[in-house]
């Protein structure tokens, strides 16, 4: 660790790691769509909320504003190509559920499709959005959560060692990665410094 | 992959993975502080922006509102205990820079401290905040970026395979993890489905 060894580089949208979030929406015509959004994550505990940042050019941007709802679905290692595909093409040109073989299932709580094959899905009601520039941040309250029983940990919540979650390295290393080795217990590993 | 095998569980603030972000601020008295925030990430490309979600009970919440600025610094595998420690204790009770041996360096761009020993730091000017409930989302425009030359990739941006970034598993598996194996190239792996 070399203190003061850093240098200034161009300010850019880089951070490590990014999640890989598949955002499900319905269009005004009822057509389900799915996109890949790496810029997002949990942003409130009570009520539970999640954010995704989207460009106005995307179909998902307009679908969320129309339906006031979206889902966030987490792909596994098996779904790397699918996750990437839904980030490459637009729902204006393609039916991405048909192309990938994924199954949209209407949420019971919001007007948005859950992806049946992915291990867990957050069902979100739009509660806040704010245009920052090229991207707009959308915040959804998580009003429903669907999970495969096989991915739940001892506390009954999805366990990252079972969901086989993937992450995106960002523009500095434009690849998907697996979650690696366990390094320490949170709210515990630091106690030795107290 | 079993379609339709999911069941409803209690909506909660879970997503995989979360980053581990060390948020640097100055208090009204000029004292530097550092906290661990796992709920945050990039939220705009142009201008580059990053968000962090904070409870009003934290000192950092008030420091950001006062200084209208913060830094986001990414710990490495070497810093697991330090990252955890700054999330356990409050800057109201402790001098967390002194306790951890980390060095606060005043940003040239904003009124917030960079952590000298961590591989890269985003220097952020507060541009938006919104109270969602227990947590408030703070969005900072990234107006400066300091990085160690050793962690830059071929494009001159911090490379996740060099920064040794860590992640937090979330409440369903309350541990820190390393970044694992490379699974595929983004904006490429999905082309075979076109």
């Amino acid at each position: 660790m070399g203190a003061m060894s850093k240098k200034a580089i161009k300010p850019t949208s880089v951070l490590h790691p990014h999640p890989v979030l598949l955002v499900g929406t319905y269009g005004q015509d009822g057509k389900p769509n799915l996109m890949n959004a790496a810029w997002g994550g949990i942003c409130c505990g009570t009520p539970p909320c999640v954010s995704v940042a989207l460009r106005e050019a995307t179909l998902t941007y307009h679908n969320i504003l129309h339906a006031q709802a979206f889902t966030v679905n987490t792909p596994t290692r098996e779904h790397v190509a699918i996750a990437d595909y839904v980030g490459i093409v637009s729902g204006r040109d393609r039916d991405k559920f048909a192309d990938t073989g994924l199954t949209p299932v209407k949420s019971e709580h919001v007007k948005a499709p859950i992806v049946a094959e992915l291990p867990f899905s957050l069902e979100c009601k739009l509660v806040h959005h704010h245009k920052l520039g090229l991207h707009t941040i959308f915040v959804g309250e998580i009003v429903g959560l669907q999970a495969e029983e096989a991915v739940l940990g001892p506390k009954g919540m999805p366990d990252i060692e079972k969901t086989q979650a993937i992450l995106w390295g960002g523009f500095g290393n434009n690849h998907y990665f697996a979650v690696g080795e366990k390094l320490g217990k949170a709210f515990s590993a630091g106690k030795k410094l107290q």
Side-chain angles (χ1 to χ4, degrees), chain A residues 21-45:
Chain A
L21 311 175
L22 301 194
V23 180
T25 54
Y26 286 119
Q28 292 193 38
D29 55 2
K31 182 181 161 187
N33 190 38
L34 194 64
M35 82 168 279
N36 181 329
W39 292 349
I42 296 296
C43 56
C44 189

Side-chain angles (χ1 to χ4, degrees), chain A residues 43 48-52 70 124-128 138-142:
Chain A
C43 56
C49 293
V50 63
S51 73
V52 291
F70 58 98
C124 307
K125 180 182 72 172
L126 184 65
V127 292
H128 176 64
F138 290 87
V139 177
E141 180 182 337
I142 302 166

Side-chain angles (χ1 to χ4, degrees), chain A residues 75-141:
Chain A
T76 76
R77 294 177 190 212
E78 282 181 38
H79 303 108
V80 168
I82 283 174
D84 196 57
Y85 177 72
V86 302
I88 290 175
V89 299
S90 170
R92 292 195 182 88
D93 309 317
R94 302 292 314 175
D95 179 336
K96 296 195 246 183
F97 278 95
D99 289 349
T100 55
L102 295 174
T103 311
V105 178
K106 168 81 176 62
S107 160
E108 287 176 22
H109 300 286
V110 296
K111 194 173 155 190
I114 287 168
V115 182
E117 290 81 1
L118 301 185
F120 75 99
S121 303
L122 309 178
E123 301 157 77
C124 307
K125 180 182 72 172
L126 184 65
V127 292
H128 176 64
H129 64 281
H130 183 81
K131 188 174 180 66
L132 293 164
L134 181 61
H135 290 76
T136 293
I137 189 164
F138 290 87
V139 177
E141 180 182 337

